Amino acid sequence: MAGNPFDLTGRTAMVTGANTGIGQGIAVALAKAGANVALVGRSAASETQALVEAEGRRAVQISADLSSTAPVGDVVAQALEALGRIDILVNNAGIIRREDALDFSEEDWDVVVDTNMKVLFFLTQAVGRHMVEWSSQSGSRGKIINIASMLTFQGGIRVPSYTASKSGVGGLTKLLANEWATKGINVNAIAPGYIATNNTAALQADENRARQIIERIPEGRWGDPADIGGAAVFLASKAADYVQGHILAVDGGWLAR
Ligand code: NAP
């Protein structure tokens, strides 16, 4: 729609971890707003592809295990070959490991920090190089959206590598905004509250914990991946051109409590 600052028609997005949960919700929301989407992940994203195509948009699946930086160059090359350019990058793929800090293993530290923070940075670097060049040619702005967490702001418990990685994602979001704002790129993050996905399946299944969580959320319910999709469309759009280095909590009021 001409003049609608939220319209993403003609834009191309890359979403990591888009086969399920929040990534799927974001990919579908971006498609509803008009974007074509590259779906990057280690599991087939056929359901998400069908949902994006049902909106009349293009979807391409790119298979990659994002626990190491090895596939980064290839992922970006495949997306550029399939869609021509990348206007929007959503760094969503992430994992969590739970254990007491006294017993936490180095393996559970490395895999979480590598997936949630190290690979996020180097994928963003690779896409950022493309965005800087494309923006200088076309004048259109690139949009990077990192998926942070409540544990970007809070300490959490029994999740040391997750808290460290998501706090790091918050810091990197601000650093990259500082470096790239004048280079035609907006870098922001979304901090989801408690969203009903595989990531929180254990919490949802624990009746006592699930009740405590809902009682503490002013909105009185778990979030849905579509709740995060709406925030992603805003940050990906022209409407957010002057939003930089912001970590947008989408948490039903959890942090306000
Ligand atoms: P999810 O349903 O478990 O989805 C995680 C996604 O990341 C899946 O697509 C998963 O692929 C992908 N992924 C994990 N490791 C990967 C790897 N090595 N290579 C490629 N893809 C990989 O959980 P979710 O809740 O939607 O989580 C999405 C993001 O939101 C994560 O960064 C998470 O930390 C964050 N978050 C979630 C919540 C919440 O309440 N749910 C709250 C705050 C932040 P597979 O399906 O193949 O494993």
Side-chain angles (χ1 to χ4, degrees):
M1 205 190 310
N4 175 355
F6 300 97
D7 186 18
L8 300 180
T9 301
R11 306 284 275 169
T12 56
M14 174 187 282
V15 182
T16 66
N19 58 308
T20 184
I22 290 172
Q24 182 178 74
I26 290 172
V28 172
L30 294 176
K32 280 183 194 289
N36 297 319
V37 194
L39 311 166
V40 183
R42 61 185 172 183
S43 302
S46 307
E47 185 181 271
T48 310
Q49 178 166 12
L51 291 168
V52 168
E53 287 172 355
E55 298 298 329
R57 309 303 166 198
R58 286 189 62 203
V60 293
Q61 293 188 49
I62 299 175
S63 175
D65 180 349
L66 299 174
S67 60
S68 89
T69 54
V72 163
D74 197 42
V75 163
V76 176
Q78 281 188 57
L80 291 177
E81 193 180 330
L83 296 173
R85 61 177 203 277
I86 305 165
D87 299 304
I88 301 157
L89 169 65
V90 182
N91 285 305
N92 166 76
I95 54 171
I96 191 164
R97 294 284 165 88
R98 298 176 194 278
E99 183 54 90
D100 292 347
L102 287 174
D103 297 322
F104 208 80
S105 70
E106 190 172 346
E107 188 198 340
D108 281 349
W109 177 273
D110 286 345
V111 71
V112 171
V113 171
D114 283 359
T115 305
N116 293 5
M117 190 171 70
K118 180 179 175 182
V119 177
L120 174 146
F121 174 76
F122 284 101
L123 179 61
T124 302
Q125 180 191 63
V127 173
R129 287 173 177 156
H130 158 75
M131 282 179 173
V132 167
E133 197 183 320
W134 170 245
S135 179
S136 73
Q137 286 168 20
S138 67
S140 84
R141 297 190 70 84
K143 304 282 181 171
I144 293 170
I145 303 165
N146 296 323
I147 302 304
S149 166
M150 292 295 97
L151 301 190
T152 303
F153 306 106
Q154 301 177 308
I157 189 162
R158 302 188 74 245
V159 286
S161 57
Y162 188 80
T163 299
S165 67
K166 293 297 186 179
S167 297
V169 166
L172 285 172
T173 300
K174 295 177 207 170
L175 172 135
L176 292 169
N178 291 338
E179 289 201 22
W180 292 355
T182 54
K183 298 185 189 302
I185 302 177
N186 291 78
V187 188
N188 291 289
I190 296 170
Y194 283 88
I195 313 297
T197 67
N198 300 334
N199 180 293
T200 52
L203 290 178
Q204 294 171 69
D206 181 338
E207 216 174 286
N208 202 27
R209 203 61 189 97
R211 186 179 41 76
Q212 289 170 346
I213 286 168
I214 288 177
E215 279 173 2
R216 196 195 175 286
I217 300 172
E219 190 75 24
R221 66 170 175 89
W222 287 78
D224 185 84
D227 291 317
I228 309 301
V233 168
F234 165 61
L235 291 176
S237 74
K238 214 175 156 24
D241 274 359
Y242 201 57
V243 182
Q244 280 287 13
H246 185 66
I247 304 165
L248 176 58
V250 181
D251 64 350
W254 174 274
L255 287 180
R257 193 72 180 252

